[in-house]
Amino acid sequence: MHILVVEDERELCDTIVRSLKRLAYSVDYCHDGQSAMDMLSVENFDLVVLDLNLPGADGMTVVRTLREADYNTKVLILSARCEVADKVEGLDAGANDYLTKPFHLEELAARIRNLTLRQFTQSDIVLTCGELSFDTKARKAAVGNEGLSLTRKETGILEYLMLNQGRPVSQEELIDHVWDSSVDSFSNSIRVHISALRKKLRAALGYDPIHNRIGEGYVMEEK
């Protein structure tokens, strides 16, 4: 996942970049609108985290310029402008989400996860990890030409881990995206479903592609 952070407050920009890199995202950054447009014209990004009050060219200009040629790259606006009219203008210009300052880094991370998950699942693509594949439209998993029989929860876990390959995913994050709000992070239900999924994958692949990094979460990686 490749993210561009555009923020002229250098201390805040550094904080955001460090936070996203700790979550295993690939991150580039700049501090003005013109540099952002130059970078977007020559490089592909999955998501742009964009301040509005920028030198050179403001954030609205960046969004509108991007949308003239690119409708796929997600844009998350960060701004101290909190009036409804400002949010409407940003979304109408082509942004996908709008987060007002000040904000918590955890909420920013959750917004990014939501936008990137939506990006992939709405594309009706087939996710792969070695011989393992997952059809996001049919919601079916297979190893080679052999289908895997998974429960609904196992299917949700597998899809989310495959969408976030190489990045640790915590139990709390899985709860947000796979479970309903009635399940807490201490529930044994999560570990039971993950254990059952790993057993099925091990039997089909001959190895377990899901690793538990202590203190970080579950990571899916090719052998």
Side-chain angles (χ1 to χ4, degrees), residues 97-137:
D97 200 357
Y98 193 111
L99 182 60
T100 56
K101 299 178 181 179
F103 57 87
H104 292 286
L105 290 171
E106 291 83 359
E107 182 178 3
L108 174 62
R111 299 285 188 104
I112 289 173
R113 288 195 299 270
N114 186 48
L115 284 174
T116 53
L117 178 64
R118 232 185 291 160
Q119 172 187 345
F120 285 115
T121 55
Q122 288 179 354
S123 298
D124 295 339
I125 63 173
V126 175
L127 306 170
T128 60
C129 180
E131 296 179 76
L132 177 65
S133 63
F134 184 84
D135 187 322
T136 61
K137 184 175 183 179

Side-chain angles (χ1 to χ4, degrees), residues 6 50-54 57-60 63 77-79 81 86 90 98 101:
V6 189
L50 178 68
D51 185 28
L52 288 184
N53 295 324
L54 295 169
D58 66 15
M60 291 295 184
V63 176
I77 287 177
L78 299 180
S79 179
R81 305 179 195 173
D86 294 316
Y98 193 111
K101 299 178 181 179

